[in-house]
Amino acid sequence: MRKLLLAVFVLLLANSLWAKVKISKVEPMNWWVGMQKTELQILIYGEEIATTTPEINYEGVTIKEVKKVENSNYLFIYVNIDKNTVPGKFPISFKSGKKTVITYNYELKARNSKKGIHQGFDPSDVIYLLMPDRFSNGDPSNDNHKEMLEAADRTNPNGRHGGDLQGVINHLDYIANSGFTAVWLNPFLENNQPAFSYHGYAISDFYKTDPRYGTNDLFVKLVDDAHAKGLKIIMDMIFNHCGSGHWFYKDLPSEDWIHQHKEFTRSNFRAPTVSDPYASKADQEQMVTGWFDKNMPDLNQKNPILATYLIQNSIWWIEFAGLDGIRVDTQPYPYKEFMAEWSKAVMVEYPDFNIVGEAWLQKIPITAYFQKGANNKDGYNSYMPSVTDFPMYNAISEAFNEKEGWSAGMAKLYYVLAQDFAYPNPGNLVIFPDNHDLSRYYETLGKDIRKYKMGLAYLLTTRGIPQIYYGTEILMDGKEQEGHGFIRKDFPGGWQGDTKNAFRADGRTDEQNDAYNFLTTLLNWRKNNEIIHSGKLMHFLPEDGIYVVFRYNDTGAVMLVLNNNEADDKDLQMARFNEILKNYSAGKEIISNTKITNLSVLKVPAKSAMIIELE
Ligand code: CA
């Protein structure tokens, strides 16, 4: 009798334990057959899931290892997927002894075979950067969501304004017709944070579109529609941190999943410590392990389980959505060894892809350090094909506001290019006059349309991949010092009931149309211009406030002339440029669409740019 009672008791206990086991998340939710890397990590999250043992019976799929972590609510299953595996669904059985406690149907899909995906981006492109919350509200019904903490409030510069993916889809024609060829969206994944959730950089679910922007499937539609209109899509990804609202931060797999500090420790934001040969360990550690902000837990990519999780997450989005490129947030802030491993893994799967790292650094050699193939003395190779060219941004911001001097004015632009020997691939740098973290370009140039045109003429003809921030085409303003909300204002006409609609010529002021027409004329000219995409570059020392840059190849040449003199029109003697001009007798000025018949003297108005296609 006693034995029987004990057996019943044990059985009841076991049953109550099994009853507790639940699965609330599986990530990635699916995978694909035929990837270069055949190993897959599957995260299983659920109450006491680690008390079970997973089993898979599906031809071609074998469990290599099951990793348990400190928290028994997690299991990490490492499987191998044979290249000949037939796509399909199969159960993962979670067993306790011989009993199956719970099962989960996992799907291996055939690879994404849509046409025109994974194109990469290159100097033939011009990227339009937009912030989904601030561009256009295509679906007012999703402005608020019952499970999301922050509600929409368009009167708050730092609040959510209701923009979304449908708003982007609605204006893909506007972007394409303007002459852009790629779109980089600031992050659109779930940010379930009580405040400042609009910017998107505090992600609370790496696999889920924020419901206030739409759904994962709507993002796929955005990519498909963009591709149909000749636009590439670049996704913004963050590896340094997650948001404090992230589900795994609330129930950490292990203490070392994030960087723990005795008291809150902010990063020193001194990215040069990463490449500094004399840096102290203390400074380097604070840079990399310090938190970006209190609401952004700093991820520890030295944890190999997390590192794999992050790499797979990127590959999942590329394959799922058919992305063309990635912009990596805060490239120097995660461990640089991890960033290199991540970049290498992505490029192995997608050799035609391109990735740009946000290397927000002031100096050229430190920026070059972070580009793939740099000749670094410490042997570091980032494997990051492209990085952001902040030194050029600095030069563009300053040069047109300055009086000419030995190293001021046009010399600033000259010296940026003169140091290109430091870069392994200067043509693959992303160049920009501003972005979502910087004062608006027009504001920086003192709202002087002449300077605005000169800077854009330089940007769109020099080497590199230009990126233009939404609203630059309509002279949107705002100082970074006033707060980030002021450099991320709503695009006029993006919301129902807006009094002005700057998506249309009749909704823009004369000055806005002047800017818009100038920019789009250049963009549409540039789009099919191989000399700008891949031609060589030769420039001449600035003299008398005039800077001349040539792009050329075997078939032709383009001449950029910048006159930075405030009030002096100049007669430019052209004999100095004979190395290029000797092959040509005439030209066409692109901005004014006028023929130039005399190539010995050129009239260049004060504070202006000329772009001459030589004939
Ligand atoms: Ca909305």
Side-chain angles (χ1 to χ4, degrees):
M1 189 62 188
R2 264 191 168 185
K3 270 187 179 175
L4 186 67
L5 276 176
L6 191 67
V8 168
F9 177 74
V10 167
L11 201 68
L12 283 173
L13 185 72
N15 263 325
S16 68
L17 266 179
W18 297 331
K20 267 181 81 180
V21 174
K22 274 185 202 145
I23 293 176
S24 37
K25 278 201 184 282
V26 174
E27 290 182 347
M29 299 85 90
N30 71 280
W31 201 247
W32 294 269
V33 173
M35 305 298 284
Q36 286 294 321
K37 191 176 182 202
T38 56
E39 188 186 276
L40 172 69
Q41 172 205 76
I42 307 172
L43 172 157
I44 312 289
Y45 176 62
E47 218 174 312
E48 295 302 322
I49 194 70
T51 61
T52 67
T53 305
E55 266 184 33
I56 294 173
N57 287 306
Y58 191 73
E59 203 179 326
V61 180
T62 41
I63 294 180
K64 291 170 80 175
E65 195 182 358
V66 178
K67 285 189 184 168
K68 294 183 184 180
V69 290
E70 287 162 19
N71 185 339
S72 57
N73 294 337
Y74 290 85
L75 265 189
F76 294 88
I77 311 173
Y78 289 75
V79 299
N80 186 71
I81 303 160
D82 196 282
K83 295 221 160 158
N84 302 319
T85 306
V86 177
K89 282 187 182 170
F90 55 86
I92 306 175
S93 308
F94 296 85
K95 299 209 151 183
S96 186
K98 285 183 177 172
K99 188 178 161 71
T100 297
V101 180
I102 196 164
T103 60
Y104 182 89
N105 270 326
Y106 200 79
E107 185 173 14
L108 287 177
K109 297 183 178 184
R111 288 196 64 175
N112 192 336
S113 58
K114 285 178 193 163
K115 277 187 185 150
I117 56 172
H118 312 150
Q119 300 172 80
F121 55 91
D122 60 41
S124 70
D125 290 305
V126 178
I127 303 166
Y128 191 69
L129 161 62
L130 64 84
M131 185 161 273
D133 184 57
R134 302 297 170 89
F135 185 60
S136 172
N137 188 358
D139 181 2
S141 77
N142 66 11
D143 293 2
N144 296 296
H145 189 277
K146 57 183 187 312
E147 285 164 26
M148 296 294 113
L149 295 170
E150 191 179 6
D153 176 5
R154 219 180 150 197
T155 63
N156 175 3
N158 299 315
R160 295 194 77 94
H161 291 188
D164 49 36
L165 297 182
Q166 188 59 50
V168 180
I169 292 171
N170 293 348
H171 294 98
L172 289 173
D173 278 330
Y174 166 81
I175 298 169
N177 292 340
S178 298
F180 298 98
T181 62
V183 182
W184 153 25
L185 300 98
N186 289 122
F188 57 88
L189 299 187
E190 185 192 273
N191 272 234
N192 200 4
Q193 301 287 132
F196 293 97
S197 67
Y198 77 95
H199 60 60
Y201 288 94
I203 291 175
S204 53
D205 189 330
F206 284 111
Y207 280 95
K208 189 178 163 205
T209 297
D210 194 296
R212 292 161 295 186
Y213 290 139
T215 61
N216 286 1
D217 287 340
L218 189 67
F219 179 63
V220 174
K221 179 177 165 28
L222 187 156
V223 176
D224 290 349
D225 286 7
H227 285 163
K229 295 174 196 300
L231 293 168
K232 301 168 176 179
I233 295 294
I234 300 167
M235 185 163 163
D236 201 328
M237 295 190 179
I238 308 140
F239 305 99
N240 181 62
H241 50 262
C242 60
S244 51
H246 197 289
W247 63 268
F248 66 40
Y249 177 61
K250 293 176 183 164
D251 190 23
L252 283 174
S254 54
E255 282 291 296
D256 73 347
W257 199 256
I258 58 163
H259 289 122
Q260 307 276 1
H261 298 276
K262 285 201 181 84
E263 54 195 52
F264 175 73
T265 304
R266 203 178 281 280
S267 172
N268 52 28
F269 301 112
R270 294 286 191 175
T273 56
V274 174
S275 54
D276 177 359
Y278 310 116
S280 68
K281 284 231 159 46
D283 288 344
Q284 279 181 333
E285 266 188 42
Q286 198 193 337
M287 162 63 199
V288 174
T289 71
W291 290 26
F292 220 76
D293 206 353
K294 281 192 173 156
N295 58 14
M296 292 175 173
D298 205 70
L299 296 169
N300 173 19
Q301 310 85 3
K302 278 196 178 164
N303 178 318
I305 299 178
L306 174 62
T308 301
Y309 175 90
L310 294 171
I311 291 168
Q312 284 188 177
N313 176 254
S314 304
I315 290 173
W316 187 88
W317 276 107
I318 300 168
E319 191 69 20
F320 171 74
L323 298 174
D324 300 301
I326 293 172
R327 178 264 186 185
V328 172
D329 188 53
T330 60
Q331 183 191 351
Y333 287 77
Y335 292 106
K336 63 182 178 185
E337 296 79 11
F338 163 76
M339 267 338 304
E341 184 195 347
W342 173 88
S343 195
K344 216 171 165 179
V346 169
M347 294 306 290
V348 163
E349 287 292 347
Y350 304 99
D352 298 330
F353 212 62
N354 200 5
I355 309 166
V356 53
E358 181 204 17
W360 191 339
L361 298 149
Q362 305 307 320
K363 302 294 178 189
I364 288 168
I366 312 176
T367 309
Y369 179 88
F370 286 97
Q371 191 179 29
K372 178 189 173 183
N375 186 21
N376 295 324
K377 283 189 179 161
D378 64 2
Y380 178 66
N381 186 351
S382 72
Y383 290 96
M384 190 73 70
S386 172
V387 291
T388 50
D389 190 348
F390 274 87
M392 180 177 279
Y393 156 75
N394 290 333
I396 292 174
S397 307
E398 294 160 3
F400 305 103
N401 290 332
E402 291 175 345
K403 281 215 166 75
E404 289 301 295
W406 186 256
S407 56
M410 292 299 92
K412 284 245 164 94
L413 300 182
Y414 177 86
Y415 282 128
V416 164
L417 294 181
Q419 295 173 74
D420 267 2
F421 63 85
Y423 292 108
N425 188 356
N428 207 20
L429 297 170
V430 167
I431 57 178
F432 51 94
D434 65 1
N435 65 28
H436 60 290
D437 288 325
L438 303 165
S439 287
R440 286 278 186 175
Y441 172 57
Y442 189 49
E443 187 82 53
T444 302
L445 297 187
K447 301 194 179 183
D448 184 332
I449 190 81
R450 301 171 307 161
K451 297 177 184 175
Y452 167 96
K453 289 180 178 177
M454 292 174 78
L456 290 178
Y458 175 72
L459 192 86
L460 294 171
T461 53
T462 190
R463 56 77 177 145
I465 307 166
Q467 165 253 297
I468 305 282
Y469 184 38
Y470 82 97
T472 298
E473 71 275 28
I474 54 157
L475 304 175
M476 277 170 69
D477 57 10
K479 289 193 184 90
E480 194 268 328
Q481 297 83 342
E482 291 175 86
H484 278 168
F486 293 91
I487 54 175
R488 303 165 178 174
K489 291 176 194 162
D490 300 344
F491 193 100
W495 276 249
Q496 284 175 18
D498 278 1
T499 49
K500 284 184 178 161
N501 182 0
F503 288 111
R504 297 160 49 108
D506 60 8
R508 299 190 277 261
T509 64
D510 289 347
E511 202 172 31
Q512 283 175 326
N513 270 324
D514 182 28
Y516 180 84
N517 294 337
F518 172 84
L519 178 59
T520 56
T521 299
L522 283 191
L523 289 174
N524 284 302
W525 165 77
R526 188 191 190 282
K527 210 192 283 187
N528 301 309
N529 196 306
E530 274 185 33
I531 297 170
I532 304 298
H533 302 167
S534 59
K536 294 177 190 166
L537 190 147
M538 185 189 292
H539 59 171
F540 290 78
L541 282 165
E543 265 184 18
D544 201 17
I546 294 183
Y547 180 38
V548 172
V549 184
F550 288 94
R551 299 298 304 277
Y552 63 103
N553 62 18
D554 293 341
T555 64
V558 172
M559 178 184 193
L560 169 73
V561 186
L562 297 171
N563 179 358
N564 202 33
N565 290 288
E566 187 55 44
D568 301 331
D569 297 353
K570 294 280 178 184
D571 286 327
L572 182 64
Q573 300 300 321
M574 303 275 266
R576 217 184 129 212
F577 316 117
N578 226 7
E579 274 172 72
I580 302 282
L581 289 184
K582 63 176 186 240
N583 301 317
Y584 302 93
S585 57
K588 189 178 88 178
E589 206 287 316
I590 298 304
I591 300 163
S592 59
N593 194 25
T594 51
K595 187 105 184 146
I596 290 173
T597 48
N598 179 1
L599 281 188
S600 53
V601 184
L602 186 69
K603 275 215 170 305
V604 194
K607 218 70 186 175
S608 78
M610 296 174 85
I611 298 172
I612 301 163
E613 216 162 37
L614 294 161
E615 292 160 3

